Amino acid sequence: FKPLNWVIGTGIYTDDIKNIIIEKEKTMRNELNRNLILITFVSLCITFITMILTIAFSINLIRPLNILVKKFGEISTGASDLTKRLPIRGNDEISILTGEFNQFMDYIENMVLKIKQQGNILNNDVGQVAASIEENSASMNELEASFQSVKNILNIYQTELEKNSNN
Protein backbone atom coordinates (compact mmCIF):
# COMPACT_ATOMS: atom_id res chain seq x y z
CA PHE A 1 0.00 0.00 0.00
CA LYS A 2 1.92 3.00 -1.20
CA PRO A 3 0.58 5.79 0.92
CA LEU A 4 1.72 4.05 4.06
CA ASN A 5 4.66 2.25 2.51
CA TRP A 6 3.21 -1.01 3.35
CA VAL A 7 3.64 -4.19 1.37
CA ILE A 8 0.84 -6.65 1.55
CA GLY A 9 1.80 -10.24 0.96
CA THR A 10 -0.10 -13.46 0.95
CA GLY A 11 1.25 -16.92 1.16
CA ILE A 12 0.29 -20.51 0.90
CA TYR A 13 2.20 -23.48 2.07
CA THR A 14 3.77 -25.55 -0.69
CA ASP A 15 2.80 -28.70 1.21
CA ASP A 16 -0.86 -27.73 0.82
CA ILE A 17 -0.36 -27.28 -2.95
CA LYS A 18 1.42 -30.62 -3.21
CA ASN A 19 -1.42 -32.31 -1.31
CA ILE A 20 -4.00 -30.77 -3.62
CA ILE A 21 -2.00 -31.90 -6.68
CA ILE A 22 -1.63 -35.41 -5.23
CA GLU A 23 -5.39 -35.59 -4.58
CA LYS A 24 -6.13 -34.42 -8.14
CA GLU A 25 -3.68 -37.01 -9.52
CA LYS A 26 -5.35 -39.79 -7.45
CA THR A 27 -8.78 -38.71 -8.68
CA MET A 28 -7.58 -38.62 -12.26
CA ARG A 29 -5.87 -42.04 -11.94
CA ASN A 30 -9.02 -43.57 -10.45
CA GLU A 31 -11.10 -42.05 -13.22
CA LEU A 32 -8.60 -43.26 -15.83
CA ASN A 33 -8.64 -46.80 -14.34
CA ARG A 34 -12.45 -46.83 -14.35
CA ASN A 35 -12.46 -45.67 -17.98
CA LEU A 36 -9.89 -48.32 -18.95
CA ILE A 37 -11.95 -51.03 -17.23
CA LEU A 38 -15.10 -49.77 -18.93
CA ILE A 39 -13.37 -49.65 -22.36
CA THR A 40 -11.96 -53.15 -21.82
CA PHE A 41 -15.38 -54.48 -20.77
CA VAL A 42 -17.13 -52.86 -23.74
CA SER A 43 -14.41 -54.17 -26.09
CA LEU A 44 -14.79 -57.69 -24.72
CA CYS A 45 -18.58 -57.48 -25.08
CA ILE A 46 -18.28 -56.25 -28.66
CA THR A 47 -15.75 -59.01 -29.42
CA PHE A 48 -18.06 -61.64 -27.89
CA ILE A 49 -21.09 -60.38 -29.80
CA THR A 50 -19.04 -60.26 -33.02
CA MET A 51 -17.90 -63.86 -32.46
CA ILE A 52 -21.49 -65.03 -31.88
CA LEU A 53 -22.70 -63.22 -35.00
CA THR A 54 -19.80 -64.64 -37.02
CA ILE A 55 -20.57 -68.17 -35.83
CA ALA A 56 -24.28 -67.73 -36.57
CA PHE A 57 -23.53 -66.33 -40.02
CA SER A 58 -21.08 -69.17 -40.70
CA ILE A 59 -23.62 -71.78 -39.62
CA ASN A 60 -26.28 -70.20 -41.85
CA LEU A 61 -23.81 -70.15 -44.72
CA ILE A 62 -22.36 -73.62 -44.21
CA ARG A 63 -25.58 -75.53 -43.39
CA PRO A 64 -27.06 -75.24 -46.92
CA LEU A 65 -23.69 -76.10 -48.43
CA ASN A 66 -23.44 -79.19 -46.22
CA ILE A 67 -26.95 -80.23 -47.31
CA LEU A 68 -25.92 -79.84 -50.97
CA VAL A 69 -22.71 -81.82 -50.39
CA LYS A 70 -24.70 -84.58 -48.64
CA LYS A 71 -27.23 -84.74 -51.51
CA PHE A 72 -24.46 -84.92 -54.12
CA GLY A 73 -22.86 -87.70 -52.07
CA GLU A 74 -26.16 -89.61 -52.00
CA ILE A 75 -26.53 -89.19 -55.76
CA SER A 76 -22.99 -90.42 -56.38
CA THR A 77 -23.67 -93.61 -54.38
CA GLY A 78 -27.12 -94.13 -55.89
CA ALA A 79 -28.81 -93.80 -52.48
CA SER A 80 -30.77 -90.65 -53.28
CA ASP A 81 -34.50 -90.22 -53.79
CA LEU A 82 -34.59 -88.45 -57.14
CA THR A 83 -38.08 -87.07 -56.50
CA LYS A 84 -37.10 -84.94 -53.49
CA ARG A 85 -35.96 -81.35 -53.98
CA LEU A 86 -34.16 -78.99 -51.64
CA PRO A 87 -36.07 -75.94 -50.35
CA ILE A 88 -34.90 -72.61 -51.73
CA ARG A 89 -34.61 -69.96 -49.03
CA GLY A 90 -33.54 -66.42 -49.74
CA ASN A 91 -32.13 -64.81 -52.82
CA ASP A 92 -28.38 -65.28 -52.43
CA GLU A 93 -25.76 -67.38 -54.20
CA ILE A 94 -26.58 -70.44 -52.06
CA SER A 95 -30.24 -70.18 -53.10
CA ILE A 96 -29.20 -69.92 -56.75
CA LEU A 97 -26.96 -72.99 -56.33
CA THR A 98 -29.84 -74.85 -54.66
CA GLY A 99 -32.14 -73.96 -57.57
CA GLU A 100 -29.57 -75.21 -60.07
CA PHE A 101 -29.21 -78.41 -58.02
CA ASN A 102 -32.99 -78.93 -58.14
CA GLN A 103 -32.95 -78.45 -61.94
CA PHE A 104 -30.11 -80.98 -62.14
CA MET A 105 -32.21 -83.42 -60.10
CA ASP A 106 -35.15 -82.86 -62.50
CA TYR A 107 -32.86 -83.66 -65.43
CA ILE A 108 -31.52 -86.82 -63.77
CA GLU A 109 -35.01 -87.95 -62.77
CA ASN A 110 -36.25 -87.49 -66.36
CA MET A 111 -33.25 -89.40 -67.72
CA VAL A 112 -33.85 -92.27 -65.28
CA LEU A 113 -37.53 -92.39 -66.28
CA LYS A 114 -36.59 -92.48 -69.97
CA ILE A 115 -34.05 -95.24 -69.30
CA LYS A 116 -36.69 -97.24 -67.41
CA GLN A 117 -39.16 -96.78 -70.26
CA GLN A 118 -36.57 -97.86 -72.82
CA GLY A 119 -35.69 -100.81 -70.58
CA ASN A 120 -39.35 -101.85 -70.44
CA ILE A 121 -39.65 -101.53 -74.23
CA LEU A 122 -36.45 -103.54 -74.66
CA ASN A 123 -37.68 -106.14 -72.17
CA ASN A 124 -40.94 -106.50 -74.14
CA ASP A 125 -38.98 -106.80 -77.40
CA VAL A 126 -36.75 -109.46 -75.86
CA GLY A 127 -39.86 -111.33 -74.70
CA GLN A 128 -41.30 -111.18 -78.21
CA VAL A 129 -38.02 -112.37 -79.73
CA ALA A 130 -37.87 -115.23 -77.20
CA ALA A 131 -41.44 -116.21 -78.07
CA SER A 132 -40.57 -116.10 -81.79
CA ILE A 133 -37.51 -118.27 -81.16
CA GLU A 134 -39.63 -120.76 -79.25
CA GLU A 135 -42.17 -120.83 -82.11
CA ASN A 136 -39.38 -121.27 -84.65
CA SER A 137 -37.87 -124.00 -82.54
CA ALA A 138 -41.20 -125.83 -82.41
CA SER A 139 -41.59 -125.40 -86.18
CA MET A 140 -38.06 -126.73 -86.70
CA ASN A 141 -38.87 -129.73 -84.50
CA GLU A 142 -41.98 -130.39 -86.59
CA LEU A 143 -39.98 -130.05 -89.80
CA GLU A 144 -37.32 -132.39 -88.43
CA ALA A 145 -39.99 -134.93 -87.53
CA SER A 146 -41.47 -134.56 -91.03
CA PHE A 147 -38.06 -135.03 -92.65
CA GLN A 148 -37.46 -138.06 -90.46
CA SER A 149 -40.78 -139.51 -91.60
CA VAL A 150 -39.90 -138.83 -95.24
CA LYS A 151 -36.47 -140.40 -94.68
CA ASN A 152 -38.04 -143.48 -93.12
CA ILE A 153 -40.47 -143.78 -96.01
CA LEU A 154 -37.64 -143.38 -98.51
CA ASN A 155 -35.63 -146.05 -96.69
CA ILE A 156 -38.58 -148.41 -96.87
CA TYR A 157 -38.96 -147.71 -100.61
CA GLN A 158 -35.27 -148.24 -101.13
CA THR A 159 -35.36 -151.54 -99.30
CA GLU A 160 -38.38 -152.64 -101.31
CA LEU A 161 -36.72 -151.59 -104.54
CA GLU A 162 -33.61 -153.54 -103.72
CA LYS A 163 -35.67 -156.63 -102.96
CA ASN A 164 -37.54 -156.28 -106.23
CA SER A 165 -34.41 -155.72 -108.23
CA ASN A 166 -32.81 -158.85 -106.77
CA ASN A 167 -35.75 -160.99 -107.71
Side-chain angles (χ1 to χ4, degrees):
F1 197 63
K2 273 193 179 188
L4 296 175
N5 264 345
W6 288 359
V7 175
I8 299 176
T10 61
I12 188 165
Y13 292 108
T14 57
D15 290 341
D16 291 341
I17 293 174
K18 284 181 184 178
N19 287 339
I20 290 172
I21 290 173
I22 289 172
E23 281 299 315
K24 286 285 184 187
E25 283 178 350
K26 282 182 185 178
T27 305
M28 287 174 64
R29 269 194 205 107
N30 287 340
E31 198 173 311
L32 180 64
N33 286 339
R34 270 191 306 232
N35 286 341
L36 284 174
I37 290 172
L38 180 65
I39 288 171
T40 303
F41 178 74
V42 169
S43 296
L44 287 174
C45 288
I46 289 173
T47 302
F48 181 72
I49 289 170
T50 303
M51 286 174 48
I52 289 175
L53 290 175
T54 302
I55 290 170
F57 178 74
S58 296
I59 288 172
N60 284 337
L61 178 68
I62 292 173
R63 184 178 296 137
L65 289 175
N66 284 338
I67 291 171
L68 281 171
V69 168
K70 180 182 175 188
K71 278 298 199 183
F72 275 117
E74 289 175 1
I75 290 170
S76 69
T77 61
S80 180
D81 181 3
L82 297 178
T83 61
K84 290 189 179 177
R85 301 295 177 263
L86 296 176
I88 299 173
R89 295 184 189 123
N91 204 13
D92 57 0
E93 289 82 4
I94 303 291
S95 301
I96 293 169
L97 182 62
T98 303
E100 294 297 322
F101 173 81
N102 287 341
Q103 287 181 355
F104 177 65
M105 291 297 290
D106 289 338
Y107 177 75
I108 289 176
E109 182 182 9
N110 288 334
M111 283 187 61
V112 168
L113 287 174
K114 286 178 184 177
I115 289 170
K116 282 182 180 179
Q117 290 170 351
Q118 292 298 321
N120 289 337
I121 291 170
L122 186 60
N123 196 19
N124 288 338
D125 290 346
V126 167
Q128 290 174 356
V129 168
S132 294
I133 289 173
E134 285 180 25
E135 287 176 19
N136 287 340
S137 177
S139 296
M140 293 296 286
N141 288 338
E142 289 176 18
L143 282 173
E144 184 181 356
S146 296
F147 285 137
Q148 191 64 39
S149 295
V150 169
K151 181 180 173 187
N152 290 341
I153 292 171
L154 287 175
N155 283 339
I156 292 171
Y157 282 134
Q158 184 181 4
T159 308
E160 286 297 318
L161 279 175
E162 287 176 0
K163 279 185 193 178
N164 286 337
S165 65
N166 287 337
N167 287 338

